[in-house]
């Protein structure tokens, strides 16, 4: 692979993010053209290998002290550049199950499909076809990843020998250790885990991974017990990594202790259906909750960011921090098509004319048949001429069938808004004029 000066200039700008207050970074940016030329020369000559250096740091994270290797500025630039070059190869194989350290992904990402907490809530609250979960964690995974394993996994996604060797050189320390806290470490771990991410779907229908923590869901407890041993063997024989025995367990989703994952505890309420309210609730981990009660002002943004995604308003009110309580008053819950509810019976009895602005149809998990619809509607207010926002929802099969047939004919984006709609009760609630009703029976005359 040919490295260009433009590649290095892009890496310089990314490597400077979060470090612009440092003098060496300011000097690099002030002379970035010259700096890029020097880096390019060192790469072309192979001299870069001897210039890769780190310094030892001890940081506190989640109450734990971690020994990390902080790369020098030169080393960080090369690591960022490797990420730029290898990322397209990884993305072409990515299964989308791992949700840490990727653009747009995270524990509480705005994109719900890329938020691990949202996906956990969806499974716990709505996927009533799964009853058990398997939680597993890798034991000191970074300490056990070797150059040989990483090279072998790189060869699975690219045949570029120069890029493979460059990656091995810049990802590992000169002593051959896989460091924590570098720009390359999360992506390199994803590459190491890629074959596992692909294999795991043969063991369970639902799988999520956040760094070295994984969770599988299934309707069968025995299937998850079997999966546990297969995963332990895979990690050890393919990657040389052990599973944490004390953190490995199979348990029912109805367990009163809830599902503890990524700092949150998600609980399922039994006896609920997909369309019911109060299907479950979410709390933060107990140790975090205790710290919240007496958190200092400087920690408020961090704790508030955690609490606003959980059902923890009472916890905030108990906190000693007034700033946290004031922020809590600003929080509003966003729900899809959220408006005041109106009963379909009321619409039919009053022969109300309305426009359908948006709709959502849900399906039975087992039979895959539509069994629920929610419609956001606008009803014209005579006094102001504006449209009142209302919503109705439920298992109205005739209405569902009509909407699906319109979607199949023209597509959802082409039929909305559906204007001047009325509903009547004719052997069930239907849109007026949507059925072929019989007026005469000719055979009897």
């Amino acid at each position: 692979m040919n490295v260009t000066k433009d590649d290095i200039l892009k890496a310089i700008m990314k490597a400077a993010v979060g470090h612009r207050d440092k003098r060496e970074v300011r000097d690099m940016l002030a002379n970035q053209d010259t700096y890029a030329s020097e880096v390019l020369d060192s790469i072309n000559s192979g001299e870069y290998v001897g210039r890769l250096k780190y310094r030892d740091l001890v940081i506190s994270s989640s109450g734990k002290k971690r020994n990390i290797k902080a790369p020098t500025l030169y080393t960080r630039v090369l690591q960022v550049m490797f990420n730029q070059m290898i990322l397209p190869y990884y993305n072409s194989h990515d299964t989308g199950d791992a949700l840490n350290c990727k653009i747009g992904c995270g524990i509480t990402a705005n994109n719900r499909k890329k938020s691990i907490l949202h996906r956990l809530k969806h499974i716990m609250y709505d996927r009533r076809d799964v009853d058990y979960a398997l939680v597993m964690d890798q034991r000191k995974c970074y300490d056990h990843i070797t150059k040989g394993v990483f090279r072998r996994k790189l060869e699975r996604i690219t045949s570029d020998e120069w890029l493979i060797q460059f990656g091995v050189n810049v990802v590992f320390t000169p002593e051959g250790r896989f460091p924590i806290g570098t720009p390359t470490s999360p992506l390199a771990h994803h590459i190491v885990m890629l074959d596992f991410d692909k294999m795991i779907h043969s063991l369970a229908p639902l799988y999520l991974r956040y760094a070295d923590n994984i969770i599988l869901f299934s309707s069968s407890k025995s299937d998850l017990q079997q999966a546990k041993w297969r995963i332990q063997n895979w990690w050890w024989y393919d990657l040389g990594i052990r599973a944490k025995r004390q953190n490995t367990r199979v348990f029912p989703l109805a367990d009163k202790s809830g599902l503890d994952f990524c700092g949150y505890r998600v609980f399922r309420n039994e006896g609920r259906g997909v369309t019911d309210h109060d299907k479950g609730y979410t709390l933060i981990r107990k140790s975090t909750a205790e710290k919240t009660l007496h958190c200092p002002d400087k920690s408020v943004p961090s704790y508030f960011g955690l609490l606003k995604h959980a059902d923890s308003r009472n916890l905030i009110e108990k906190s000693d921090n007034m700033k946290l309580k004031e922020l809590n008053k600003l929080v509003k819950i966003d729900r899809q098509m959220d408006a005041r509810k109106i009963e379909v019976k009321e619409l039919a009895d009053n022969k109300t004319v309305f426009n359908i602005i948006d709709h959502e149809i849900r399906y039975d998990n087992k039979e895959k048949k539509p069994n629920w619809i929610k419609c956001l509607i606008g009803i014209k207010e005579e006094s102001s001429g504006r449209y009142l926002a209302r919503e109705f929802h439920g298992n109205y099969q005739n209405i569902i069938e009509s909407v699906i047939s319109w979607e199949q004919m023209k597509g959802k984006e082409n039929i909305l808004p559906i204007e001047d709609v009325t509903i009547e009760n004719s052997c069930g609630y239907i849109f007026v004029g949507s059925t072929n009703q019989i007026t005469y029976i000719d055979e009897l005359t």
Side-chain angles (χ1 to χ4, degrees):
M1 174 175 283
N2 294 322
V3 179
T4 67
K5 193 172 180 179
D6 285 342
D7 294 330
I8 299 172
L9 287 170
K10 291 176 183 177
I12 286 173
M13 297 306 295
K14 289 185 178 180
V17 175
H19 300 274
R20 289 175 179 266
D21 57 330
K22 298 176 182 177
R23 183 172 181 176
E24 62 174 346
V25 175
R26 293 199 302 269
D27 291 342
M28 176 185 70
L29 294 176
N31 304 280
Q32 56 184 287
D33 192 72
T34 302
Y35 191 92
S37 297
E38 292 176 355
V39 172
L40 182 59
D41 290 341
S42 68
I43 292 174
N44 289 334
S45 65
E47 178 197 350
Y48 76 92
V49 178
R51 294 179 59 182
L52 298 170
K53 296 180 180 179
Y54 300 79
R55 58 193 179 95
D56 295 318
L57 286 180
V58 178
I59 63 170
S60 296
S61 175
S62 302
K64 301 178 183 177
K65 288 188 176 182
R66 299 180 183 273
N67 297 312
I68 70 167
K69 293 282 189 179
T72 61
L73 178 59
Y74 175 85
T75 305
R76 189 164 71 246
V77 169
L78 293 193
Q79 289 178 337
V80 171
M81 193 177 71
F82 171 69
N83 280 355
Q84 292 174 175
M85 292 188 292
I86 200 64
L87 188 59
Y89 294 100
Y90 172 77
N91 285 341
S92 66
H93 292 269
D94 186 14
T95 63
D97 297 301
L99 297 174
N100 66 294
C101 302
K102 296 179 182 178
I103 295 175
C105 296
I107 296 177
T108 57
N110 291 329
N111 185 335
R112 293 186 172 190
K113 293 182 179 179
K114 296 182 179 182
S115 161
I116 197 159
L117 180 60
H118 177 78
R119 289 172 69 169
L120 285 175
K121 286 182 178 181
H122 167 66
I123 294 169
M124 290 291 286
Y125 298 169
D126 299 328
R127 290 298 301 267
R128 299 287 164 159
D129 55 322
V130 294
D131 303 300
Y132 297 93
L134 164 64
V135 175
M136 298 184 71
D137 188 4
Q138 293 176 341
R139 181 178 177 272
K140 295 184 178 180
C141 64
Y142 280 19
D143 289 345
H144 294 95
I145 295 175
T146 64
K147 287 185 176 182
V149 168
F150 185 56
R151 173 182 286 276
R152 178 160 48 87
K153 297 305 179 180
L154 280 176
E155 291 171 349
R156 298 277 289 169
I157 62 175
T158 179
S159 58
D160 188 327
E161 184 55 38
W162 182 90
L163 180 58
I164 292 171
Q165 186 58 54
F166 180 71
V168 172
N169 289 338
V170 302
V171 167
F172 288 80
T173 67
E175 300 79 28
R177 305 286 293 182
F178 190 93
I180 299 174
T182 68
T184 53
S185 52
L187 179 56
H189 183 254
H190 285 318
I191 292 170
V192 167
M193 292 291 290
L194 188 55
D195 285 340
F196 176 79
D197 290 340
K198 293 178 180 179
M199 177 278 298
I200 199 68
H201 289 283
S202 65
L203 304 182
L206 294 171
Y207 160 64
L208 293 173
R209 178 168 69 82
Y210 195 85
D212 56 349
N213 297 273
I214 71 166
I215 184 164
L216 282 72
F217 298 90
S218 176
S219 58
S220 169
K221 184 177 181 180
S222 60
D223 285 353
L224 291 181
Q225 292 285 6
Q226 187 180 60
K228 178 184 71 174
W229 294 108
R230 289 193 61 184
I231 291 168
Q232 287 178 339
N233 287 333
W234 180 289
W235 285 354
W236 176 244
Y237 289 107
D238 188 58
L239 305 177
I241 298 174
R242 294 186 184 275
K244 288 183 179 178
R245 284 183 293 180
Q246 67 273 23
N247 290 6
T248 300
R249 67 188 188 108
V250 177
F251 61 94
L253 298 183
D255 193 300
K256 292 183 179 180
S257 61
L259 168 61
D260 191 325
F261 200 73
C262 290
Y264 287 93
R265 295 166 62 212
V266 187
F267 297 81
R268 169 183 284 188
N269 290 335
E270 287 300 293
R272 307 293 195 274
V274 174
T275 61
D276 291 336
H277 295 288
D278 192 29
K279 293 179 286 187
Y281 56 97
T282 300
L283 304 177
I284 60 172
R285 192 170 285 163
K286 187 176 180 181
S287 58
T288 308
E290 291 173 351
K291 294 175 184 177
T292 302
L293 294 175
H294 312 290
C295 69
D297 279 354
K298 67 178 182 179
S299 301
V300 164
S302 297
Y303 283 104
F304 184 68
L306 291 171
L307 292 167
K308 72 178 184 178
H309 295 283
D311 302 304
S312 300
R313 288 181 179 269
N314 288 338
L315 177 62
I316 296 176
E317 290 302 319
K318 291 179 182 178
S319 171
D320 294 337
N321 193 293
M322 293 304 299
K323 190 175 180 180
L324 189 61
K325 294 179 181 179
E326 289 300 315
L327 281 174
N328 182 51
K329 295 176 182 178
L330 302 177
V331 174
K332 300 293 183 184
I333 300 172
D334 292 322
R335 297 186 298 182
Q336 188 176 14
M337 295 187 288
D338 194 14
R340 279 185 56 189
K341 181 182 177 182
I342 188 169
E343 297 292 341
V344 170
K345 182 178 186 301
E346 181 181 344
L347 293 171
D349 291 347
N350 296 332
K351 298 180 181 179
T352 304
V353 180
F354 58 89
N355 299 336
I356 299 179
I357 310 303
D358 197 3
H359 66 267
E360 175 192 2
I361 297 174
R362 294 181 184 175
Y363 293 77
D364 178 85
N365 288 324
K366 293 182 179 179
E367 298 182 3
K368 304 301 180 184
K369 293 182 179 180
N371 64 355
W372 185 87
I373 188 171
K374 181 176 184 178
C375 291
L376 176 65
I377 66 173
I379 303 173
K380 191 170 185 178
E381 188 179 50
E382 295 300 330
S383 59
S384 66
R386 301 177 66 188
Y387 284 84
L388 296 170
R390 295 290 184 267
E391 67 87 15
F392 68 82
H393 61 264
N395 184 4
Y396 301 110
Q397 283 297 320
N398 295 317
I399 292 176
I400 292 173
E401 186 177 345
S402 293
V403 173
I404 289 177
S405 65
W406 296 338
E407 282 187 359
Q408 291 173 343
M409 187 181 302
K410 294 188 176 182
K412 181 178 178 179
E413 66 279 2
N414 295 320
I415 65 172
L416 294 175
I418 306 171
E419 300 179 339
D420 299 330
V421 179
T422 52
I423 289 176
E424 65 179 348
N425 188 354
S426 179
C427 296
Y429 291 106
I430 64 171
F431 293 127
V432 173
S434 64
T435 62
N436 294 315
Q437 291 185 333
I438 299 173
T439 304
Y440 297 102
I441 302 176
D442 296 332
E443 291 80 358
L444 300 180
T445 58

